[in-house]
């Protein structure tokens, strides 16, 4: 059975992020998309527009000296424009280690992600790691 197109898009995005492939990520995200990052740390907030989102992704990789990994745990779709990419996130930064699970809830229109709403299992652990 073929994978749903929205699951394919999400998988392709996670794989591109893991490679640091910003060109592929840019192709998958609408120019007016928003990525919502939870928490109360310097990298939390709403990143509006493709350029702001790409800058966020570059900064995540820079802040972790390329150590950030997102291990795909699964993808769920509803067939109506929503997909959830579940993952385990690990990273090293300033002598601290992050190991948490989370997900990104995607709103997909056509073949582009228009809204990415990130959720984490332990928000305090993430706040501490990124602060």
């Amino acid at each position: 059975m073929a994978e749903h197109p929205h699951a394919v898009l999400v998988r392709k995005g996670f794989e591109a992020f893991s490679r640091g492939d910003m060109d592929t990520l840019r192709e998958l995200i609408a120019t007016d998309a928003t990525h919502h990052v939870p928490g109360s740390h310097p990298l939390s907030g709403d990143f509006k527009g493709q350029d702001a989102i790409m800058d966020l992704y570059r900064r995540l990789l820079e802040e972790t000296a390329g150590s950030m990994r997102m291990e795909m745990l699964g993808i769920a779709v509803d067939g109506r424009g929503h997909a959830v990419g579940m993952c385990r996130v690990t990273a090293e930064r300033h002598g601290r280690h992050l190991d948490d699970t989370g997900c990104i809830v995607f709103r997909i229109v056509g073949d582009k992600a228009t809204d990415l709403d990130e959720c984490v299992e332990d928000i305090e652990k993430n706040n501490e790691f990124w602060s």
Side-chain angles (χ1 to χ4, degrees):
M1 193 155 103
E3 192 171 39
H4 190 278
H6 295 161
V8 171
L9 184 144
V10 169
R11 186 175 311 286
K12 189 174 180 182
F14 273 90
E15 290 170 355
F17 181 87
S18 294
R19 292 189 311 272
D21 182 352
M22 298 300 158
D23 291 334
T24 296
L25 286 168
R26 190 174 286 279
E27 292 172 10
L28 302 174
I29 297 172
T31 57
D32 60 348
T34 302
H35 187 133
H36 310 274
V37 179
S40 57
H41 55 79
L43 293 175
S44 64
D46 296 333
F47 297 83
K48 297 179 183 186
Q50 208 177 56
D51 291 338
I53 294 169
M54 293 304 112
D55 286 342
L56 167 67
Y57 296 166
R58 279 188 202 91
R59 195 158 167 211
L60 291 170
L61 294 170
E62 287 172 5
E63 290 282 331
T64 62
S67 70
M68 188 171 187
R69 297 288 178 263
M70 299 177 81
E71 174 191 349
M72 180 65 59
L73 300 176
I75 302 171
V77 299
D78 70 356
R80 298 178 294 114
H82 299 96
V84 179
M86 297 154 283
C87 63
R88 176 179 176 215
V89 178
T90 57
E92 302 290 331
R93 180 175 180 264
H94 302 303
R96 290 178 277 195
H97 179 74
L98 177 66
D99 188 345
D100 198 21
T101 54
C103 68
I104 300 176
V105 180
F106 295 84
R107 173 72 176 136
I108 301 166
V109 176
D111 61 351
K112 305 273 187 193
T114 61
D115 195 69
L116 300 86
D117 204 350
E118 191 175 321
C119 300
V120 295
E121 183 175 11
D122 189 334
I123 201 160
E124 293 307 320
K125 182 192 304 184
N126 280 268
N127 284 335
E128 181 181 326
F129 180 80
W130 293 110
S131 292

